[in-house]
């Protein structure tokens, strides 16, 4: 997801993703444990594996990449020629604000893990929405 200061179309497409959370739950602040549980659902829904990281310092130590305070999320595959067997997803927990925003950020980053060649095209966000819809059906089951 990069940052709040990303391309306006990317930001709009991310914010247009519809979370399956009930209205009362959607406005609650996400906790680290809630986010880990949610990430497992997203992993299952998209049939992808990834490690979730919510600490900026840990992400930087693991990747060598610097994060800015505006970064919401990132998908990291490793350097060219030395790809990680399981990619990393960084989410800036304090910047998310609500569980709805966390769902949108997770969907966005999982979209990059599952379909990296799609970039920020409309089809990528269609896939992200499908993942969110699948998460909704998994969490009811």
């Amino acid at each position: 997801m990069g940052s709040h200061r990303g391309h306006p179309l990317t930001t709009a497409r991310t914010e247009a993703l519809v979370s399956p959370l009930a209205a009362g739950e959607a406005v609650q602040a996400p906790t680290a444990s809630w986010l880990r549980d949610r990430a497992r659902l997203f992993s299952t829904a998209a049939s992808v594996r990834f490690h979730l990281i919510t600490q900026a310092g840990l992400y930087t130590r693991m990747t060598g990449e610097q994060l800015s305070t505006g970064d919401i999320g990132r998908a990291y595959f490793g350097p060219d020629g030395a790809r990680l067997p399981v990619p990393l997803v960084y989410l800036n927990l304090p910047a998310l604000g609500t569980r709805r925003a966390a769902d949108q950020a997770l969907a966005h980053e999982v979209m990059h893990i599952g379909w990296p060649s799609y970039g920020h095209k409309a089809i990528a966000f269609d896939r992200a929405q499908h993942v969110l819809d699948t998460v909704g059906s998994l969490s009811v089951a």
Side-chain angles (χ1 to χ4, degrees):
M1 191 159 159
S3 155
H4 273 299
R5 295 174 208 74
H7 189 279
L9 183 57
T10 299
T11 300
R13 285 178 173 165
T14 301
E15 291 174 354
L17 293 171
V18 179
S19 169
L21 294 169
E25 184 178 6
V27 297
Q28 294 177 21
T31 62
S33 63
W34 180 89
L35 195 55
R36 278 191 303 277
D37 291 343
R38 203 73 176 158
R40 281 191 214 70
L41 286 174
F42 275 79
S43 177
T44 299
S47 298
V48 296
R49 292 178 52 211
F50 61 91
H51 294 295
L52 178 68
I53 299 171
T54 59
Q55 300 165 346
L58 177 60
Y59 177 84
T60 297
R61 283 191 301 282
M62 292 178 76
T63 66
E65 291 185 352
Q66 293 298 313
L67 296 165
S68 74
T69 56
D71 284 333
I72 301 295
R74 285 198 191 176
Y76 181 79
F77 296 90
D80 289 338
R83 294 300 192 194
L84 298 173
V86 179
L88 307 175
V89 168
Y90 166 75
L91 291 180
N92 183 342
L93 188 58
L96 293 171
T98 66
R99 290 178 177 187
R100 175 184 296 117
D103 264 4
Q104 291 168 330
L106 264 171
H108 183 128
E109 299 311 332
V110 166
M111 160 190 95
H112 287 308
I113 300 291
W115 305 276
S117 65
Y118 288 179
H120 289 129
K121 296 175 186 169
I123 190 169
F125 288 91
D126 290 344
R127 293 285 175 108
Q129 186 59 59
H130 178 73
V131 170
L132 277 163
D133 295 342
T134 304
V135 165
S137 67
L138 292 172
S139 47
V140 199

